[in-house]
Amino acid sequence: MERRSLADVDSTEAAEGVHLALMAGSDSMNVQHFEIEPGATVEEHSHPHEQTGFIYEGELTFRTDGDELVCGPGDSYALPGDQPHAAKNRGEVTVRGVDIFSPPRENPTWQSK
């Protein structure tokens, strides 16, 4: 069994205002905590991983297939692998939540250098 505390994990600024922290994982999935500052955007991208998530603070607007969907505190979502998607924090508070990826994902290739 693996245990990781958010307090013990360094976050990566994957894009301006988008902070990711890899949490516990296994051979088939892992957990990633995210914080997305007001006005920050996750540009459109895709990945082979299935992605499910849960937002516990703020509102995040997702864009997939030309449609928009707003997810807020208490909302969960699921994205199939290889589906292009983007997200933006249009609110005034930082969005905080967790994503689960299967198979496990490291920091994304679109991360800032």
Side-chain angles (χ1 to χ4, degrees), residues 44-59:
E44 185 173 88
H45 65 285
S46 65
H47 42 75
H49 316 82
E50 292 184 25
Q51 177 180 352
T52 60
F54 177 80
I55 293 175
Y56 64 88
E57 188 174 331
E59 288 187 346

Side-chain angles (χ1 to χ4, degrees), residues 44-45 61-70 79 83-87 90:
E44 185 173 88
H45 65 285
T61 301
F62 286 92
R63 189 177 70 247
T64 61
D65 298 326
D67 294 324
E68 289 191 353
L69 177 67
V70 177
L79 294 161
Q83 179 176 10
H85 56 284
R90 294 181 175 155

Side-chain angles (χ1 to χ4, degrees), residues 19-101:
H19 306 273
L20 308 177
L22 289 176
M23 304 297 290
S26 67
D27 291 338
S28 59
M29 69 181 72
N30 68 344
V31 176
Q32 176 179 270
H33 183 267
F34 62 85
E35 294 185 355
I36 302 175
E37 297 172 10
T41 298
V42 176
E43 296 296 335
E44 185 173 88
H45 65 285
S46 65
H47 42 75
H49 316 82
E50 292 184 25
Q51 177 180 352
T52 60
F54 177 80
I55 293 175
Y56 64 88
E57 188 174 331
E59 288 187 346
L60 192 59
T61 301
F62 286 92
R63 189 177 70 247
T64 61
D65 298 326
D67 294 324
E68 289 191 353
L69 177 67
V70 177
C71 293
D75 288 340
S76 62
Y77 51 88
L79 294 161
D82 296 318
Q83 179 176 10
H85 56 284
K88 183 171 180 79
N89 180 351
R90 294 181 175 155
E92 297 179 8
V93 300
T94 298
V95 176
R96 292 183 172 85
V98 294
D99 281 324
I100 298 171
F101 293 96

